[in-house]
Amino acid sequence: MKFEEYRIADGIKTSISKLGFKKPTDIQYKAIPPILKGEDVLAIAQTGTGKTAAFAIPILHILQERKIKGRPDGVKCLVMAPTHELALQIDSVFKTLGKHTRISSFCIHGGVDQQPQIDQLNKGVDVLIATPGRMFDLVSQGALLLKRVEILVLDEADHMLDLGFIKDINDLMRHLPKKRQTLFFSATINDKIKNLAYSLVTSAIRIQISPEDPVARNIEHAVAFVEMDDKRFFLEYLINDHPDKKILVFVRTKVRAERVKSALERVSIVADTIHSDKLQEERERTMRSFRKGELKILIATDVSARGIDIPNVEYVVNYDLPETSEHYVHRVGRTGRASQKGQAVSFCSTEEKELLEEIENNLGKPIQRIVISKNDYQNTLSFTEDKSEDWKKLLIEDEEGEKIRKKKKKRSKRK
Ligand code: ADP
Ligand code: MG
């Protein structure tokens, strides 16, 4: 079925064809009809399969049909997302798809002045995309009324219903009308969170797609055994081996992000970091420049692992293994978007082998191994441009490295 055959407003079809979308993706095919019917939907589909448009298209249509012209009578659809960057991205999808409709969308998030946001809300907003913090500030000041919300979307639903956010979401429910349509979208979900999601809605939820393999088909992903101290040489090698490619590097902590950046600087590789200690303005600037391809190497923490859709990221590097299999799926899912192909490699040190096993167990299958011969391993170390020994000191200062070293020491003492 083609988009032209859908019963959706012509203006939306115009935007879809301008975007070059020919036919719906699987999740769009399955989720759009029930959403149009007004059903609650829990949709699980792999990363990069077009979940945003799967909810934005029917929502725009529903609101376009119902909109009473010229009356700013409150937010009708609320989309919740975990990070500023993701909220902005979803807003831009609504704006693009809704360009030829009367539906307005707006994004609110913290880290910026709130008055312009209040002014905009007063003018009237149909679809509001928000991160929880700023949204609650505005609700408590009476600047944001949610009584008119007909549709609630939780994007990255399992994350939004997880420990860090669940209290916010429960509070939010108190401000929303009981009678509403609720949509959950994510690439990952576990049973506990699924039950929690069910408990938030009254009508039955339809689960649309539940892939056997949570990692998207077009991502080739593998693990290489690289010791903690050697990781930076392997990263340097990989970057030099793929000149001009966009590479997204995930590390465990903000401190490590900065350390890896300076380690790369020492060998004349330009990279930037994105994490929660950075100013909102800086974060947006960095993202823009990575999106455009001016910045080639971006070092990120897990804040950037969810939902972010950047074209042409050819490589994802897990410099440190992620904490869980969900994090793994989302991190590697930043490559191989839509019909593109992508590659991901994880550096696993001896200390991380246990974690790797846990991730593989939860994924339900082993991750392919990259076998590095002793010779190649040594060669990679000696290829480095960095001939000084200072980097060792740098890494030792790192809080993570510190911990691991302590453990190692203990172990060797026991021996
Ligand atoms: P997800 O939320 O599932 O991770 P996104 O909604 O971010 O995925 O979409 C991933 C990419 O796929 C985006 O760049 C989007 O423009 C593109 N896309 C979405 N729907 C289609 C479609 N029907 N045909 C082609 N590309 C699409
Ligand atoms: Mg998404």
Side-chain angles (χ1 to χ4, degrees), residues 48 51-52 55 86 89 155-156 307-308 334 337:
K51 292 188 287 295
T52 321
F55 60 79
L86 182 52
Q89 182 185 299
D155 194 25
E156 303 299 335
I308 297 302
R334 293 319 100 209
R337 313 289 297 165

Side-chain angles (χ1 to χ4, degrees), residues 324-340:
T324 65
S325 60
E326 280 89 1
H327 283 86
Y328 184 86
V329 168
H330 290 280
R331 282 181 178 191
V332 301
R334 293 319 100 209
T335 182
R337 313 289 297 165
S339 56
Q340 292 187 327

Side-chain angles (χ1 to χ4, degrees), residues 338-370:
S339 56
Q340 292 187 327
K341 291 217 176 322
Q343 276 188 297
V345 63
S346 302
F347 293 164
C348 176
S349 66
T350 307
E351 298 88 341
E352 292 171 305
K353 280 190 176 164
E354 227 172 278
L355 190 52
L356 176 66
E357 205 177 302
E358 215 178 290
I359 292 170
E360 289 181 310
N361 281 340
N362 290 327
L363 287 178
K365 51 166 68 175
I367 301 168
Q368 193 192 324
R369 265 48 177 173
I370 296 173

